[in-house]
Amino acid sequence: MCGIIGYIGPKQSTSLLIGGLKRLEYRGYDSAGVAVIEPGKDGAPKELKILRCRGKLGELETLVAREPPQGHVGIGHTRWATHGRPSDENAHPHCYKGVAVVHNGIIENYLEIKQTLAARGHEFQSETDTEIIAHLIWEELQRDPLPAPSAQTPRSVAQRNDRLLQATRRALHRIEGAYAIVVLSIDTPEEIVCAKNASPLVLGLGQGENFIASDVPAVLEHTRRVVFLEEGDIAQVRSDGVRIIDLDGNERTTTQRPPRTITWSLVAAEKAGFKHFMLKEIHEQPRAVTDTLRGRLVHQAPDALLDGIALGKPGLDVDCKVRRILLLACGTSYHAALVGKYMIERLSRLPVEVDLASEFRYRDPVVLPGDLAVSVSQSGETADTLAAVKEARQRGAQTLSIANVVDSSIPRASHHALYTHAGPEIGVASTKAFTTQLAALFLLAVHLGRRTGALGDAAAADLVHELLSVPAKIGEAVETAAQVQALARRFAHSQDVLYLGRGPQFPIALEGALKLKEISYIHAEGYAAGEMKHGPIALIDEGTPIIVLAPEEHGYEKVLSNLSEVKARGGQVIAIATRGDAALRRLADEVIEVPRAPSLLLPLITVVPLQLFAYHVADIKGTDVDQPRNLAKSVTVE
């Protein structure tokens, strides 16, 4: 989600760090900083100099220009806020008593650790989860004091040991969650230590110098020999070499972590080798949904936690007395809200209304005591949605925002916020933001269902278990890409495409049609399958592609009946089916199979082939996939 760079070698590190961060700007960020170990002047001890600030890299460069840090080892970071608003204090690197850390990811148990450390006298300077890592590593270093220098063992030799490596390893045993971390210590200035779990990290291998980065583009200017770290790896990086161990201290050899030579261009490297950011972001969805769920599911007493928000039973004196849900959104987020209606009503038995935010405040809406207005927006800046939230709040509703960008306008205007942690989404056509919104809405549905009593222990336990399996199933759906690409070649020059779905799949039909329209400029419409005879059937003729969402769930037989009517009129049927559905294969011209899942979770999976279809059609037609005409990533005007 953020940018990381580290350097150790003979060159001045500051300009290298900022240059590397510039190569990572495409990832999106809200603050930046560097930490450099400076040699002491006139025999004085070395110093750890940290410069950081909110805003773009230009702000950091201004700080650096006033008094450039001088040193040959340093780390840098661009932050996309997760815990704590964008601010100077929350910017990385974070430091505690000479230990500096940068971090990508989410530490799930940071509040528990922070309370324990505070009870031992630790003081904290930020709202972030990252800061606790520096404290934990410092504590571990105190358990293994640096050998005192002597005539036989000068300090330069005493420093070349495994103290920082082992202290970091022990500290990580106390952490739960996702991380890519890079660590400096003033006591061991001849090395950098880094570690990876569920967040990307790569080592760049040079001649007499080495690099660490969150992504390949940061190091391509200096080296094309890289090592991709794997889960649980901890690396000790010095100017003359690299050593890798695992969390148990076992060595990782060069045959286990072989260096690779990168042949990508810099532009391709920014996209991790994918042709477009949209395709990269489709493939990122398993990780993004995992990050949305991380730390929010309780297994023992099955439940979904909403970052400290308490949405209570109707009539009880808790933070929010919920009797009705109002879902407010625009565009793709509106389609997520439509799916959310099915989720919330079925699991909580609370009534739900879904409004286009652009229409809500102009219809003199009825807002009642006990209403919870839930806004959905990737950017958190959508002007119509922001206005709708303010209108709902002014009329007495409690407000909850589901957003991706921390401390954006809509969360600030709401009573509560639930962040999706999808990371920056660069492609204008939303993909991973949509699936993470669905995951967040499902969490909300489970949370409400547990508090209304509509969702019992056994059912909740089953849903929590199934939800945890969804990221892997999304990954399986992504693997249909080759089949979908072949279909895209066949239908890329169609004039019209019709999408049909029932129940929770109806909003996915709307979303599939929107994706195709957005980036390929082909006319497409999404309809509820039961409405086909009320008009859409007139659009069907020989050769018209009809994409039917037909997983085996409630209403499946009726979808098969609709499909037969389409075939009778010569339509070309592409069916999205659950794996092993033989009956559908006999009716459809083409079948794309996805894994089975509960009805309310299937939309997170069935949408993936539709995203891929829109992408490949647009790519074949040669349109600007990432920046389609007339569209902007965030609509900040009405």
Side-chain angles (χ1 to χ4, degrees), residues 1-64:
M1 288 185 284
C2 313
I4 284 178
I5 184 69
Y7 173 77
I8 185 165
K11 301 169 185 172
Q12 287 294 326
S13 63
T14 304
S15 61
L16 285 171
L17 297 176
I18 291 179
L21 293 178
K22 285 183 176 179
R23 297 294 191 190
L24 299 173
E25 280 193 290
Y26 69 92
R27 295 166 68 93
Y29 64 100
D30 50 56
S31 58
V34 295
V36 175
I37 296 179
E38 292 191 312
K41 298 177 181 178
D42 301 324
K46 296 179 184 293
E47 296 182 7
L48 182 61
K49 188 166 184 177
I50 295 178
L51 296 173
R52 56 186 185 160
C53 62
R54 178 178 178 174
K56 297 301 182 183
L57 280 170
E59 302 292 328
L60 179 62
E61 287 183 286
T62 300
L63 282 179
V64 167

Side-chain angles (χ1 to χ4, degrees), residues 219-501:
V219 303
L220 278 187
E221 183 181 352
H222 309 286
T223 181
R224 289 183 174 269
R225 291 186 68 239
V226 303
V227 173
F228 290 97
L229 295 184
E230 298 185 13
E231 307 304 338
D233 281 353
I234 309 171
Q236 182 184 53
V237 181
R238 295 171 172 159
S239 59
D240 58 358
V242 169
R243 177 187 174 199
I244 302 173
I245 64 171
D246 65 17
L247 283 168
D248 295 323
N250 301 310
E251 299 282 341
R252 292 288 174 242
T253 65
T254 54
T255 56
Q256 293 170 304
R257 301 291 182 268
R260 291 176 51 187
T261 300
I262 298 297
T263 58
W264 304 330
S265 69
L266 185 58
V267 171
E270 289 179 352
K271 300 167 186 170
F274 292 102
K275 189 174 182 180
H276 295 95
F277 282 110
M278 181 181 175
L279 185 59
K280 176 175 179 279
E281 287 156 2
I282 290 171
H283 281 75
E284 287 176 343
Q285 287 177 115
R287 189 276 306 161
V289 171
T290 297
D291 284 347
T292 303
L293 304 179
R294 198 177 295 281
R296 289 170 169 163
L297 293 174
V298 179
H299 301 273
Q300 294 80 6
D303 200 359
L305 305 180
L306 305 181
D307 299 351
I309 306 165
L311 303 175
K313 298 178 182 177
L316 292 186
D317 185 19
V318 291
D319 289 353
C320 182
K321 306 169 187 177
V322 180
R323 293 183 179 87
R324 183 178 68 151
I325 310 294
L326 305 174
L327 294 174
L328 309 172
C330 297
T332 284
S333 297
Y334 174 71
H335 298 156
L338 289 173
V339 178
K341 175 182 172 72
Y342 289 94
M343 293 173 171
I344 295 168
E345 287 192 338
R346 194 178 300 178
L347 298 185
S348 75
R349 307 312 299 163
L350 290 169
V352 179
E353 292 184 15
V354 186
D355 261 285
L356 284 164
S358 55
E359 294 291 328
F360 178 74
R361 66 190 177 119
Y362 296 111
R363 65 174 179 84
D364 192 20
V366 177
V367 178
L368 303 171
D371 283 352
L372 173 67
V374 180
S375 60
V376 187
S377 168
Q378 186 281 137
S379 66
E381 300 291 346
T382 309
D384 285 316
T385 307
L386 176 61
V389 168
K390 291 178 177 178
E391 182 77 11
R393 184 165 181 166
Q394 183 180 349
R395 290 172 180 257
Q398 287 282 318
T399 52
L400 165 68
S401 64
I402 295 175
N404 189 31
V405 181
V406 173
D407 206 40
S408 48
S409 296
I410 295 172
R412 289 201 309 271
S414 305
H415 292 101
H416 311 289
L418 178 62
Y419 293 111
T420 57
H421 302 315
E425 188 178 65
I426 296 169
V428 166
S430 184
T431 52
K432 66 178 180 176
F434 177 74
T435 47
T436 55
Q437 287 169 350
L438 294 181
L441 285 161
F442 193 84
L443 290 171
L444 175 61
V446 171
H447 182 88
L448 290 168
R450 296 298 280 156
R451 280 144 191 83
T452 61
L455 187 59
D457 289 349
D462 287 344
L463 288 173
V464 167
H465 174 74
E466 290 286 354
L467 185 55
L468 288 170
S469 72
V470 164
K473 292 178 179 180
I474 293 173
E476 292 180 52
V478 171
E479 292 173 4
T480 64
Q483 181 187 3
V484 173
Q485 186 177 26
L487 289 173
R489 291 193 188 99
R490 182 175 165 187
F491 295 108
H493 300 290
S494 300
Q495 290 187 324
D496 303 280
V497 180
L498 187 63
Y499 291 74
L500 300 175

Side-chain angles (χ1 to χ4, degrees), residues 122-245:
H122 290 246
E123 295 182 357
F124 297 88
Q125 308 302 318
S126 77
E127 305 167 294
T128 69
D129 54 344
T130 301
E131 191 179 356
I132 66 155
I133 302 172
H135 289 247
L136 290 175
I137 293 172
W138 179 84
E139 280 198 341
E140 294 297 336
L141 285 170
Q142 306 320 297
R143 296 186 174 95
D144 184 16
L146 185 69
S150 65
Q152 293 76 30
T153 310
R155 181 169 293 277
S156 61
V157 175
Q159 288 167 342
R160 293 182 66 85
N161 56 41
D162 292 343
R163 287 182 69 244
L164 185 59
L165 180 70
Q166 297 300 334
T168 301
R169 184 182 68 82
R170 292 192 299 269
L172 291 176
H173 276 284
R174 300 168 63 183
I175 287 172
E176 298 172 8
Y179 55 77
I181 65 167
V182 184
V183 187
L184 284 182
S185 172
I186 194 68
D187 288 338
T188 56
E190 305 301 324
E191 65 182 354
I192 308 174
V193 169
C194 61
K196 167 195 164 36
N197 182 56
S199 287
L201 206 59
V202 61
L203 307 181
L205 308 180
Q207 296 293 324
E209 60 183 5
N210 287 302
F211 303 81
I212 303 166
S214 54
D215 209 349
V216 168
V219 303
L220 278 187
E221 183 181 352
H222 309 286
T223 181
R224 289 183 174 269
R225 291 186 68 239
V226 303
V227 173
F228 290 97
L229 295 184
E230 298 185 13
E231 307 304 338
D233 281 353
I234 309 171
Q236 182 184 53
V237 181
R238 295 171 172 159
S239 59
D240 58 358
V242 169
R243 177 187 174 199
I244 302 173
I245 64 171

Side-chain angles (χ1 to χ4, degrees), residues 50 52 79 83-99 101 110 114 117-118 121-135:
I50 295 178
R52 56 186 185 160
R79 177 179 187 250
H83 290 94
R85 68 191 188 283
S87 67
D88 291 355
E89 295 78 17
N90 290 332
H92 297 209
H94 289 285
C95 180
Y96 185 70
K97 296 186 178 181
V99 176
V101 174
Y110 89 98
K114 189 172 185 177
L117 291 169
H122 290 246
E123 295 182 357
F124 297 88
Q125 308 302 318
S126 77
E127 305 167 294
T128 69
D129 54 344
T130 301
E131 191 179 356
I132 66 155
I133 302 172
H135 289 247

